Amino acid sequence: MKIKSVIIDKYSELCPLSFMKCESFSEVEYKIERSIALGQTIKRTEKERHVQYYHNCFVIQNNTVVDMYKDLSKCVDVRKSVKNAYDWKAGKAIV
C-alpha cells in the first residue's frame, strides 16, 4: 500500500503523541498500515473506501492512502491483544 507524504503530515497533526513516539517515517507508515489493516471499512464507493481506526479515518483509492481525517462522533475500538498479535506477526515491537 502506498502512503502519500501529505498523509504523514496529517498524521503528525491529528495524532501528535503517536507521531512523536516514532523514530522514523517508516514507523509512521507502519502505524498507518496497521490502522488500515485492523480498522473497519465505514464507507465504500466505486473509487474509494474509508477505513476507521478509533477516531482516525483513512481514505484509500487504488491501494493508495490519499486522505486522513478524524471522526469524533464514532470510535472503532481495537483490542490491545489484536494490535499486539499484528505487531508480532509483522515482527515489530511498537511502544
Coordinates of all heavy atoms in Angstrom, one line a residue:
M1 N 0.8 -1.2 0.0 CA 0.0 0.0 0.0 C 0.9 1.2 0.0 O 1.9 1.3 0.7 CB -0.9 0.0 1.2 CG -1.7 1.2 1.4 SD -3.0 1.1 2.6 CE -4.0 -0.2 1.8
K2 N 0.5 2.2 -0.8 CA 1.3 3.4 -0.9 C 0.6 4.5 0.0 O -0.6 4.5 0.2 CB 1.3 4.0 -2.3 CG 2.0 3.1 -3.3 CD 1.9 3.7 -4.7 CE 2.5 2.7 -5.7 NZ 2.3 3.2 -7.1
I3 N 1.5 5.3 0.6 CA 1.0 6.3 1.5 C 1.6 7.7 1.0 O 2.8 7.8 1.0 CB 1.4 6.1 3.0 CG1 0.8 4.7 3.4 CG2 1.0 7.2 3.9 CD1 1.4 4.2 4.8
K4 N 0.8 8.6 0.6 CA 1.2 9.9 0.2 C 1.9 10.6 1.3 O 1.5 10.5 2.5 CB 0.1 10.7 -0.4 CG -0.4 10.1 -1.7 CD -1.3 11.1 -2.4 CE -1.7 10.6 -3.8 NZ -2.3 11.6 -4.6
S5 N 2.9 11.4 1.0 CA 3.6 12.2 2.1 C 2.7 13.2 2.8 O 2.9 13.4 4.0 CB 4.8 12.9 1.5 OG 4.4 13.8 0.5
V6 N 1.7 13.7 2.1 CA 0.7 14.6 2.8 C 0.0 13.9 4.0 O -0.4 14.5 5.0 CB -0.3 15.2 1.8 CG1 -1.2 14.2 1.2 CG2 -1.0 16.3 2.4
I7 N -0.1 12.5 3.9 CA -0.8 11.8 4.9 C 0.1 11.7 6.2 O -0.4 11.8 7.3 CB -1.2 10.4 4.4 CG1 -2.1 10.4 3.2 CG2 -1.8 9.5 5.5 CD1 -3.3 11.3 3.3
I8 N 1.4 11.6 6.0 CA 2.3 11.6 7.1 C 2.2 13.0 7.8 O 2.2 13.0 9.1 CB 3.7 11.2 6.7 CG1 3.7 9.8 6.2 CG2 4.7 11.4 7.8 CD1 4.9 9.2 5.8
D9 N 2.1 14.0 7.1 CA 1.9 15.4 7.7 C 0.6 15.5 8.4 O 0.6 16.0 9.5 CB 2.0 16.4 6.6 CG 3.4 16.5 5.9 OD1 4.4 16.1 6.5 OD2 3.4 17.0 4.8
K10 N -0.5 14.9 7.8 CA -1.8 15.0 8.5 C -1.7 14.1 9.8 O -2.3 14.5 10.8 CB -2.9 14.5 7.6 CG -3.3 15.5 6.6 CD -4.6 15.1 6.0 CE -5.1 16.2 5.1 NZ -6.5 16.0 4.5
Y11 N -1.1 13.0 9.7 CA -0.9 12.1 10.9 C -0.2 12.8 12.0 O -0.6 12.7 13.2 CB -0.2 10.8 10.5 CG -0.2 9.7 11.6 CD1 -1.3 8.8 11.6 CD2 0.8 9.6 12.5 CE1 -1.3 7.8 12.6 CE2 0.8 8.7 13.5 CZ -0.3 7.8 13.5 OH -0.3 6.8 14.5
S12 N 0.8 13.6 11.7 CA 1.5 14.3 12.7 C 0.7 15.4 13.3 O 0.8 15.7 14.5 CB 2.8 14.9 12.1 OG 2.5 16.0 11.3
E13 N -0.3 16.0 12.6 CA -1.2 17.0 13.1 C -2.3 16.4 13.9 O -2.7 16.9 15.0 CB -1.8 17.8 12.0 CG -0.8 18.7 11.2 CD -1.4 19.3 10.0 OE1 -2.7 19.4 9.9 OE2 -0.6 19.7 9.1
L14 N -2.9 15.3 13.4 CA -4.1 14.7 14.0 C -3.7 13.7 15.2 O -4.5 13.5 16.1 CB -4.9 13.9 13.0 CG -5.5 14.8 11.9 CD1 -6.2 13.9 10.8 CD2 -6.5 15.8 12.4
C15 N -2.5 13.1 15.2 CA -2.1 12.2 16.2 C -0.7 12.5 16.7 O 0.3 11.8 16.5 CB -2.0 10.8 15.6 SG -3.5 10.3 14.7
P16 N -0.5 13.7 17.3 CA 0.8 14.2 17.6 C 1.5 13.3 18.6 O 2.8 13.1 18.5 CB 0.6 15.6 18.2 CG -0.9 15.6 18.6 CD -1.6 14.7 17.7
L17 N 0.8 12.7 19.6 CA 1.5 11.9 20.6 C 2.0 10.6 20.0 O 3.2 10.2 20.2 CB 0.6 11.5 21.8 CG 0.2 12.7 22.6 CD1 -0.8 12.3 23.7 CD2 1.4 13.3 23.3
S18 N 1.2 10.0 19.1 CA 1.6 8.7 18.4 C 2.8 9.0 17.5 O 3.7 8.3 17.4 CB 0.4 8.2 17.7 OG 0.8 7.0 16.9
F19 N 2.7 10.2 16.8 CA 3.8 10.6 15.9 C 5.1 10.8 16.6 O 6.1 10.4 16.1 CB 3.3 11.8 15.1 CG 4.3 12.3 14.1 CD1 4.3 11.7 12.8 CD2 5.3 13.3 14.3 CE1 5.3 12.1 11.8 CE2 6.2 13.7 13.4 CZ 6.2 13.1 12.1
M20 N 5.0 11.4 17.8 CA 6.3 11.7 18.5 C 7.0 10.5 19.0 O 8.2 10.5 19.2 CB 6.0 12.7 19.6 CG 5.7 14.1 19.1 SD 5.2 15.3 20.4 CE 5.8 14.7 21.9
K21 N 6.2 9.4 19.2 CA 6.8 8.1 19.6 C 7.6 7.4 18.5 O 8.4 6.6 18.8 CB 5.7 7.1 20.1 CG 5.0 7.6 21.4 CD 4.0 6.6 21.7 CE 3.2 7.0 22.9 NZ 2.1 6.0 23.2
C22 N 7.4 7.8 17.3 CA 8.1 7.2 16.2 C 9.4 7.8 15.9 O 9.6 9.0 16.0 CB 7.2 7.3 14.9 SG 5.6 6.6 15.0
E23 N 10.4 6.9 15.7 CA 11.8 7.3 15.4 C 12.1 7.5 14.0 O 13.1 8.1 13.6 CB 12.7 6.3 16.0 CG 12.6 6.2 17.5 CD 13.6 5.2 18.1 OE1 14.4 4.6 17.4 OE2 13.5 5.0 19.3
S24 N 11.2 7.1 13.1 CA 11.4 7.3 11.6 C 10.1 7.3 10.9 O 9.0 7.0 11.5 CB 12.2 6.1 11.1 OG 11.5 4.9 11.2
F25 N 10.1 7.8 9.7 CA 8.9 7.8 8.8 C 8.4 6.4 8.5 O 7.2 6.2 8.4 CB 9.1 8.6 7.5 CG 9.2 10.1 7.8 CD1 10.4 10.8 7.4 CD2 8.2 10.8 8.3 CE1 10.5 12.1 7.6 CE2 8.2 12.1 8.5 CZ 9.4 12.8 8.1
S26 N 9.3 5.4 8.5 CA 8.9 4.1 8.2 C 8.0 3.5 9.4 O 7.1 2.8 9.2 CB 10.0 3.1 8.0 OG 10.9 3.1 9.1
E27 N 8.3 4.0 10.6 CA 7.4 3.6 11.8 C 6.1 4.2 11.6 O 5.0 3.6 12.0 CB 8.1 4.0 13.1 CG 9.2 3.1 13.5 CD 9.7 3.4 14.9 OE1 9.0 3.9 15.7 OE2 10.9 3.2 15.1
V28 N 6.0 5.5 11.2 CA 4.7 6.2 11.0 C 3.9 5.4 9.9 O 2.7 5.2 10.1 CB 4.9 7.6 10.6 CG1 3.6 8.3 10.3 CG2 5.7 8.4 11.7
E29 N 4.6 5.1 8.8 CA 3.9 4.3 7.7 C 3.4 3.0 8.2 O 2.3 2.6 7.9 CB 4.9 4.1 6.6 CG 5.2 5.4 5.8 CD 6.2 5.2 4.7 OE1 7.0 4.2 4.8 OE2 6.3 6.1 3.8
Y30 N 4.2 2.3 9.1 CA 3.7 1.1 9.7 C 2.5 1.3 10.5 O 1.5 0.5 10.4 CB 4.8 0.4 10.5 CG 4.4 -0.8 11.2 CD1 4.2 -2.0 10.6 CD2 4.0 -0.8 12.6 CE1 3.7 -3.1 11.2 CE2 3.5 -1.9 13.2 CZ 3.4 -3.1 12.5 OH 2.9 -4.2 13.2
K31 N 2.5 2.3 11.3 CA 1.3 2.6 12.1 C 0.0 2.8 11.3 O -1.1 2.4 11.6 CB 1.5 3.7 13.1 CG 2.4 3.4 14.3 CD 2.4 4.5 15.3 CE 3.1 4.1 16.5 NZ 3.0 5.1 17.6
I32 N 0.2 3.6 10.2 CA -0.9 3.8 9.3 C -1.4 2.5 8.6 O -2.6 2.3 8.6 CB -0.5 4.9 8.2 CG1 -0.3 6.3 8.9 CG2 -1.5 5.0 7.1 CD1 0.4 7.3 8.0
E33 N -0.4 1.7 8.1 CA -0.8 0.5 7.5 C -1.5 -0.5 8.5 O -2.5 -1.1 8.2 CB 0.4 -0.2 7.0 CG 1.0 0.4 5.8 CD 2.4 -0.1 5.3 OE1 2.9 -1.0 6.0 OE2 2.9 0.4 4.3
R34 N -1.0 -0.5 9.8 CA -1.7 -1.3 10.8 C -3.1 -0.8 11.1 O -4.0 -1.6 11.2 CB -0.8 -1.3 12.1 CG -1.5 -2.1 13.2 CD -0.6 -2.1 14.5 NE -0.7 -0.8 15.1 CZ -0.2 -0.4 16.2 NH1 0.6 -1.3 16.9 NH2 -0.3 0.8 16.7
S35 N -3.2 0.5 11.1 CA -4.6 1.1 11.3 C -5.5 0.7 10.3 O -6.7 0.4 10.5 CB -4.5 2.7 11.4 OG -3.6 3.1 12.4
I36 N -5.1 0.7 9.0 CA -5.9 0.3 7.9 C -6.2 -1.2 7.9 O -7.4 -1.6 7.7 CB -5.3 0.7 6.6 CG1 -5.3 2.3 6.5 CG2 -6.1 0.1 5.4 CD1 -4.4 2.8 5.4
A37 N -5.2 -2.0 8.3 CA -5.5 -3.4 8.3 C -6.4 -3.8 9.4 O -7.2 -4.8 9.3 CB -4.1 -4.1 8.5
L38 N -6.3 -3.2 10.6 CA -7.1 -3.6 11.7 C -8.4 -2.7 11.8 O -9.3 -3.1 12.6 CB -6.3 -3.4 13.0 CG -5.1 -4.3 13.1 CD1 -4.4 -4.0 14.4 CD2 -5.4 -5.7 12.9
G39 N -8.5 -1.7 11.1 CA -9.7 -0.8 11.1 C -10.9 -1.4 10.4 O -10.9 -2.5 9.9
Q40 N -12.0 -0.7 10.5 CA -13.3 -1.1 9.9 C -13.6 -0.2 8.7 O -13.5 1.0 8.8 CB -14.4 -1.0 10.9 CG -15.7 -1.4 10.5 CD -16.8 -1.2 11.6 OE1 -16.4 -0.8 12.7 NE2 -18.0 -1.6 11.3
T41 N -14.0 -0.8 7.6 CA -14.5 0.0 6.4 C -15.8 0.6 6.8 O -16.8 -0.2 7.1 CB -14.6 -0.9 5.2 OG1 -13.3 -1.4 4.9 CG2 -15.1 -0.1 4.0
I42 N -15.9 1.9 6.8 CA -17.2 2.6 7.1 C -17.9 3.1 5.9 O -19.1 3.4 6.0 CB -16.9 3.7 8.1 CG1 -15.9 4.7 7.6 CG2 -16.4 3.1 9.5 CD1 -15.8 6.0 8.4
K43 N -17.2 3.2 4.8 CA -17.8 3.7 3.6 C -17.1 3.2 2.4 O -15.9 3.1 2.4 CB -17.8 5.3 3.5 CG -18.4 5.9 2.3 CD -18.3 7.4 2.4 CE -18.9 8.1 1.2 NZ -18.7 9.5 1.2
R44 N -17.8 2.8 1.3 CA -17.2 2.3 0.1 C -18.0 2.8 -1.1 O -19.2 2.8 -1.1 CB -17.2 0.8 0.2 CG -16.5 0.1 -1.0 CD -16.7 -1.4 -1.0 NE -16.0 -2.0 0.2 CZ -14.8 -2.4 0.2 NH1 -14.0 -2.3 -0.9 NH2 -14.3 -3.0 1.3
T45 N -17.2 3.3 -2.0 CA -17.8 3.7 -3.3 C -17.0 3.0 -4.4 O -16.1 2.2 -4.1 CB -17.7 5.3 -3.5 OG1 -16.3 5.6 -3.6 CG2 -18.3 6.0 -2.4
E46 N -17.3 3.3 -5.7 CA -16.6 2.7 -6.8 C -15.1 3.1 -6.8 O -14.3 2.3 -7.2 CB -17.2 3.0 -8.1 CG -18.6 2.4 -8.4 CD -19.1 2.7 -9.7 OE1 -18.4 3.1 -10.6 OE2 -20.4 2.7 -9.8
K47 N -14.8 4.3 -6.4 CA -13.5 4.8 -6.5 C -12.7 4.8 -5.2 O -11.4 4.8 -5.2 CB -13.5 6.3 -7.0 CG -14.1 6.4 -8.4 CD -14.0 7.8 -8.8 CE -14.6 7.9 -10.3 NZ -14.5 9.3 -10.8
E48 N -13.3 4.7 -4.0 CA -12.6 4.8 -2.8 C -13.3 4.1 -1.7 O -14.5 3.7 -1.8 CB -12.3 6.3 -2.4 CG -13.6 7.0 -2.1 CD -13.4 8.5 -1.8 OE1 -12.4 9.1 -2.3 OE2 -14.2 9.1 -1.1
R49 N -12.5 3.9 -0.6 CA -13.1 3.3 0.6 C -12.5 4.1 1.8 O -11.4 4.6 1.8 CB -12.9 1.8 0.8 CG -11.5 1.4 1.0 CD -11.4 -0.1 1.0 NE -10.0 -0.5 1.1 CZ -9.4 -1.1 2.1 NH1 -10.1 -1.3 3.2 NH2 -8.1 -1.4 2.1
H50 N -13.3 4.2 2.9 CA -12.9 4.9 4.1 C -12.8 3.9 5.2 O -13.7 3.1 5.4 CB -14.0 5.9 4.5 CG -14.1 7.1 3.5 ND1 -14.1 8.4 3.9 CD2 -14.3 7.1 2.2 CE1 -14.3 9.1 2.8 NE2 -14.4 8.4 1.8
V51 N -11.7 3.8 5.8 CA -11.4 2.9 6.9 C -11.2 3.7 8.2 O -10.4 4.6 8.2 CB -10.1 2.0 6.6 CG1 -9.8 1.1 7.8 CG2 -10.3 1.2 5.3
Q52 N -11.9 3.3 9.2 CA -11.8 4.0 10.5 C -11.1 3.1 11.5 O -11.4 1.9 11.7 CB -13.2 4.4 11.1 CG -13.1 5.2 12.3 CD -14.3 6.0 12.6 OE1 -15.3 6.0 11.9 NE2 -14.4 6.6 13.8
Y53 N -10.2 3.7 12.3 CA -9.4 3.0 13.4 C -9.5 4.0 14.5 O -8.9 5.1 14.4 CB -8.0 2.8 12.9 CG -7.1 2.1 13.9 CD1 -7.1 0.8 14.0 CD2 -6.2 2.9 14.6 CE1 -6.2 0.2 14.9 CE2 -5.3 2.3 15.5 CZ -5.3 1.0 15.6 OH -4.4 0.4 16.5
Y54 N -10.2 3.6 15.6 CA -10.5 4.6 16.7 C -11.2 5.8 16.0 O -12.2 5.6 15.4 CB -9.3 4.9 17.5 CG -8.8 3.8 18.3 CD1 -7.8 2.9 17.8 CD2 -9.3 3.5 19.6 CE1 -7.4 1.8 18.5 CE2 -8.9 2.4 20.3 CZ -7.9 1.6 19.8 OH -7.5 0.5 20.5
H55 N -10.7 7.0 16.2 CA -11.3 8.2 15.6 C -10.7 8.5 14.2 O -11.2 9.4 13.6 CB -11.3 9.4 16.5 CG -12.1 9.2 17.8 ND1 -13.4 9.2 17.8 CD2 -11.7 9.0 19.1 CE1 -13.9 9.0 19.0 NE2 -12.8 8.9 19.8
N56 N -9.6 7.9 13.9 CA -8.9 8.2 12.6 C -9.5 7.5 11.4 O -9.8 6.3 11.5 CB -7.4 7.8 12.7 CG -6.7 8.5 13.8 OD1 -7.0 9.7 14.1 ND2 -5.9 7.8 14.5
C57 N -9.8 8.3 10.4 CA -10.3 7.7 9.1 C -9.4 7.9 8.0 O -8.8 9.0 7.9 CB -11.7 8.4 8.8 SG -12.9 8.2 10.1
F58 N -9.2 6.9 7.2 CA -8.2 6.9 6.1 C -9.0 6.7 4.8 O -9.9 5.8 4.8 CB -7.2 5.9 6.3 CG -6.3 6.0 7.5 CD1 -6.7 5.4 8.7 CD2 -5.2 6.8 7.5 CE1 -6.0 5.5 9.8 CE2 -4.4 6.9 8.6 CZ -4.8 6.3 9.8
V59 N -8.7 7.5 3.8 CA -9.4 7.4 2.5 C -8.4 6.7 1.6 O -7.3 7.2 1.4 CB -9.8 8.8 1.9 CG1 -10.5 8.6 0.6 CG2 -10.7 9.5 2.9
I60 N -8.8 5.6 1.0 CA -7.9 4.8 0.1 C -8.5 4.7 -1.3 O -9.7 4.4 -1.5 CB -7.8 3.4 0.7 CG1 -7.2 3.5 2.1 CG2 -6.9 2.5 -0.2 CD1 -7.7 2.4 3.0
Q61 N -7.7 5.1 -2.3 CA -8.0 5.0 -3.7 C -6.9 4.2 -4.4 O -5.8 4.5 -4.3 CB -8.2 6.3 -4.3 CG -9.3 7.2 -3.8 CD -9.3 8.6 -4.5 OE1 -8.3 9.0 -5.1 NE2 -10.4 9.3 -4.3
N62 N -7.3 3.2 -5.1 CA -6.3 2.4 -5.9 C -5.1 2.0 -5.1 O -4.0 2.1 -5.5 CB -5.9 3.1 -7.1 CG -7.0 3.5 -8.1 OD1 -7.9 2.7 -8.2 ND2 -7.0 4.6 -8.7
N63 N -5.4 1.4 -3.9 CA -4.4 1.0 -3.0 C -3.4 2.0 -2.5 O -2.2 1.8 -2.2 CB -3.6 -0.2 -3.6 CG -3.0 -1.2 -2.5 OD1 -3.6 -1.3 -1.5 ND2 -1.9 -1.8 -2.8
T64 N -3.8 3.3 -2.5 CA -3.0 4.4 -2.1 C -3.9 5.2 -1.0 O -5.0 5.5 -1.3 CB -2.7 5.4 -3.2 OG1 -1.9 4.6 -4.2 CG2 -1.8 6.5 -2.8
V65 N -3.2 5.5 0.1 CA -3.9 6.4 1.1 C -3.8 7.8 0.6 O -2.7 8.4 0.5 CB -3.2 6.2 2.5 CG1 -4.0 7.0 3.5 CG2 -3.2 4.8 2.9
V66 N -4.9 8.4 0.3 CA -4.9 9.8 -0.3 C -5.4 10.9 0.7 O -5.2 12.1 0.4 CB -5.8 9.8 -1.6 CG1 -5.1 8.9 -2.6 CG2 -7.2 9.4 -1.3
D67 N -6.1 10.5 1.8 CA -6.6 11.5 2.7 C -6.7 10.8 4.1 O -6.8 9.6 4.2 CB -7.9 12.1 2.3 CG -8.3 13.4 3.0 OD1 -7.4 13.9 3.7 OD2 -9.4 13.9 2.8
M68 N -6.8 11.7 5.1 CA -7.0 11.3 6.5 C -7.8 12.4 7.2 O -7.5 13.5 7.0 CB -5.6 11.0 7.2 CG -5.7 10.6 8.6 SD -4.1 10.5 9.4 CE -4.6 10.1 11.0
Y69 N -8.7 11.9 8.1 CA -9.5 12.9 8.9 C -9.9 12.2 10.2 O -9.7 11.0 10.3 CB -10.7 13.4 8.1 CG -11.7 12.4 7.7 CD1 -12.8 12.1 8.4 CD2 -11.5 11.7 6.5 CE1 -13.7 11.1 8.0 CE2 -12.4 10.7 6.1 CZ -13.5 10.4 6.9 OH -14.4 9.5 6.5
K70 N -10.4 13.0 11.1 CA -10.9 12.4 12.4 C -12.4 12.5 12.4 O -13.0 13.4 11.9 CB -10.4 13.2 13.6 CG -9.0 12.8 14.0 CD -8.7 13.1 15.4 CE -7.3 12.8 15.8 NZ -7.2 11.5 16.4
D71 N -13.0 11.4 12.9 CA -14.5 11.4 13.2 C -14.7 11.2 14.6 O -14.6 10.0 15.1 CB -15.1 10.3 12.3 CG -16.7 10.3 12.5 OD1 -17.2 11.1 13.3 OD2 -17.3 9.5 11.8
L72 N -15.0 12.3 15.4 CA -15.1 12.2 16.8 C -16.5 11.7 17.2 O -16.7 11.4 18.4 CB -14.8 13.5 17.5 CG -13.4 14.0 17.3 CD1 -13.2 15.4 17.9 CD2 -12.4 13.0 17.8
S73 N -17.4 11.5 16.3 CA -18.8 11.1 16.6 C -18.8 9.5 16.7 O -19.8 9.0 17.3 CB -19.8 11.5 15.5 OG -19.5 10.9 14.3
K74 N -17.8 8.8 16.2 CA -17.8 7.4 16.3 C -16.4 6.9 16.5 O -15.4 7.5 16.1 CB -18.3 6.8 14.9 CG -18.4 5.3 14.8 CD -18.8 4.8 13.5 CE -18.7 3.3 13.4 NZ -18.9 2.8 12.0
C75 N -16.3 5.8 17.3 CA -15.0 5.2 17.6 C -15.0 3.7 17.2 O -15.9 3.0 17.7 CB -14.7 5.4 19.0 SG -13.1 4.8 19.5
V76 N -14.0 3.3 16.4 CA -13.8 1.9 16.1 C -12.7 1.4 17.0 O -11.5 1.7 16.8 CB -13.5 1.7 14.6 CG1 -13.2 0.2 14.4 CG2 -14.7 2.1 13.8
D77 N -13.1 0.7 18.1 CA -12.1 0.2 19.1 C -11.4 -1.0 18.6 O -12.1 -1.9 18.0 CB -12.8 0.0 20.4 CG -11.8 -0.2 21.6 OD1 -10.7 0.4 21.5 OD2 -12.2 -0.8 22.5
V78 N -10.1 -1.2 18.9 CA -9.4 -2.4 18.5 C -8.7 -2.8 19.8 O -8.0 -2.0 20.4 CB -8.4 -2.1 17.4 CG1 -7.5 -3.3 17.1 CG2 -9.0 -1.6 16.2
R79 N -8.9 -4.1 20.2 CA -8.3 -4.6 21.4 C -6.8 -4.6 21.3 O -6.2 -4.8 20.3 CB -8.8 -6.0 21.7 CG -10.3 -6.0 22.0 CD -10.7 -7.4 22.5 NE -10.1 -8.5 21.8 CZ -10.7 -9.2 20.7 NH1 -11.8 -8.8 20.3 NH2 -10.0 -10.2 20.2
K80 N -6.2 -4.3 22.5 CA -4.7 -4.3 22.6 C -4.1 -5.7 22.1 O -3.1 -5.7 21.5 CB -4.3 -4.0 24.0 CG -2.8 -3.9 24.2 CD -2.3 -2.6 23.7 CE -0.8 -2.5 24.1 NZ -0.2 -1.4 23.4
S81 N -4.8 -6.8 22.5 CA -4.3 -8.1 22.1 C -4.3 -8.3 20.6 O -3.4 -8.9 20.0 CB -5.2 -9.2 22.7 OG -6.5 -9.1 22.3
V82 N -5.2 -7.7 19.9 CA -5.3 -7.7 18.4 C -4.1 -7.0 17.8 O -3.4 -7.4 16.9 CB -6.6 -7.2 17.8 CG1 -6.6 -7.2 16.3 CG2 -7.8 -8.1 18.3
K83 N -3.9 -5.8 18.4 CA -2.7 -5.0 17.9 C -1.4 -5.7 18.2 O -0.5 -5.7 17.3 CB -2.7 -3.6 18.6 CG -3.9 -2.7 18.1 CD -3.7 -1.3 18.6 CE -4.0 -1.2 20.1 NZ -4.1 0.2 20.6
N84 N -1.3 -6.3 19.4 CA -0.1 -7.0 19.7 C 0.2 -8.2 18.8 O 1.3 -8.4 18.4 CB -0.1 -7.5 21.2 CG 0.1 -6.3 22.1 OD1 0.5 -5.2 21.8 ND2 -0.3 -6.5 23.4
A85 N -0.9 -8.9 18.4 CA -0.8 -10.0 17.5 C -0.4 -9.6 16.2 O 0.5 -10.2 15.5 CB -2.1 -10.8 17.5
Y86 N -0.9 -8.5 15.7 CA -0.5 -7.9 14.4 C 1.0 -7.5 14.4 O 1.7 -7.8 13.5 CB -1.4 -6.7 14.0 CG -1.1 -6.2 12.6 CD1 -1.8 -6.7 11.5 CD2 -0.2 -5.2 12.5 CE1 -1.5 -6.2 10.2 CE2 0.1 -4.7 11.2 CZ -0.6 -5.2 10.1 OH -0.3 -4.7 8.8
D87 N 1.4 -6.9 15.5 CA 2.8 -6.4 15.6 C 3.7 -7.7 15.6 O 4.8 -7.7 15.0 CB 3.0 -5.6 16.8 CG 2.3 -4.2 16.7 OD1 2.0 -3.8 15.6 OD2 2.1 -3.6 17.8
W88 N 3.3 -8.7 16.4 CA 4.2 -9.9 16.5 C 4.3 -10.6 15.1 O 5.4 -11.0 14.7 CB 3.5 -10.8 17.5 CG 4.3 -12.1 17.7 CD1 5.5 -12.2 18.5 CD2 4.1 -13.3 17.1 NE1 5.9 -13.5 18.4 CE2 5.1 -14.2 17.6 CE3 3.2 -13.8 16.2 CZ2 5.2 -15.6 17.2 CZ3 3.2 -15.2 15.8 CH2 4.2 -16.0 16.3
K89 N 3.2 -10.7 14.4 CA 3.2 -11.3 13.1 C 4.1 -10.5 12.1 O 4.8 -11.1 11.3 CB 1.8 -11.4 12.5 CG 1.7 -12.1 11.2 CD 0.2 -12.2 10.8 CE 0.1 -12.9 9.5 NZ -1.2 -13.0 9.0
A90 N 4.1 -9.2 12.3 CA 4.9 -8.3 11.4 C 6.3 -8.2 11.9 O 7.2 -7.6 11.2 CB 4.3 -6.9 11.3
G91 N 6.6 -8.8 13.0 CA 8.0 -8.7 13.6 C 8.3 -7.3 14.1 O 9.5 -6.9 14.1
K92 N 7.3 -6.6 14.6 CA 7.5 -5.2 15.1 C 7.3 -5.2 16.6 O 6.4 -5.9 17.1 CB 6.6 -4.2 14.4 CG 6.7 -4.1 12.9 CD 7.9 -3.3 12.5 CE 7.9 -3.1 11.0 NZ 9.0 -2.3 10.6
A93 N 8.0 -4.3 17.2 CA 7.7 -4.0 18.6 C 7.5 -2.5 18.7 O 8.4 -1.7 18.8 CB 8.9 -4.4 19.5
I94 N 6.2 -2.2 18.7 CA 5.8 -0.7 18.8 C 5.4 -0.4 20.2 O 4.7 -1.1 20.9 CB 4.6 -0.5 17.8 CG1 5.0 -0.8 16.4 CG2 4.1 1.0 18.0 CD1 6.0 0.2 15.8
V95 N 5.9 0.7 20.7 CA 5.7 1.2 22.1 C 4.4 1.9 22.1 O 4.1 2.7 21.2 CB 6.8 2.0 22.6 CG1 6.5 2.5 24.0 CG2 8.1 1.3 22.5

